[in-house]
Amino acid sequence: MLKFIGSGSAFNTKLGNNSAYYKEGNQILLIDCGSNIFQRIKENNLLEGIEQIHVLVTHTHADHVGSLADLILYTYYSHGEFAKNKIIIHSPFDTGISEILKLNGCVVGVHHSENLIGGSGQVTKILKSTLFNFDRNSHVEELNTYNITLNIKGRTIWYSSDCNEINKSLVEDINFRNNFIAYIDTCKADYNGNVHLSLRKLTQLIKPEYRNKVWCMHLDEGFVREEAEALGFNVVKNEY
Ligand SMILES: [Zn+2]
């Protein structure tokens, strides 16, 4: 349902920073815009015919927001109609994205708009009928990080962003809810204090019969696609 511009972890330059998108008519929804994402968007003409861009920001690690200011200023100055604000940034206010964009020279109301959300659970509607809300995640102590629940055309999509654990209620949703799929940060690296979720842990949490509802993403360099697929999981691919 979602497509991916990049599907790698912070240092997996080959696959690019993890970033998903969904297009509807002349609008695009983008989740995060890490350091090497603007270049991939431009090189693959992803904005052709696009007049409005919604960016959902999960947290402010550079591999999630590193080229967001480039995208904002590019769309204002060089994409489509000159000097028209085409981007809305949606994020919980306490991710701090607003301050980062300001320091990057992006002016709210001029270059872009912001929908700063109070916190977990608040539902926003965008595109024709897409609903989403953010919820707090377990990732790193120093940054507020959020997962996203999206409802697109009757299907519920849970998108972990970066996380090192998933809770019991998500596992139950994967097991028992129809039209429910989960995109989960999964890495090969497996050590105490890991800020991402290892394939070993995910395998312990999700029973084999439900693994076809899970898509592994944010893949590190040691991740072996065939290993995850042999266990019954899906693995995302970059698609433009
Ligand atoms: Zn992160």
Side-chain angles (χ1 to χ4, degrees), residues 59 61 63-64 139 162 196 218:
H59 66 301
H61 271 144
D63 62 316
H64 292 260
H139 177 37
D162 291 7
H196 301 283
H218 203 283

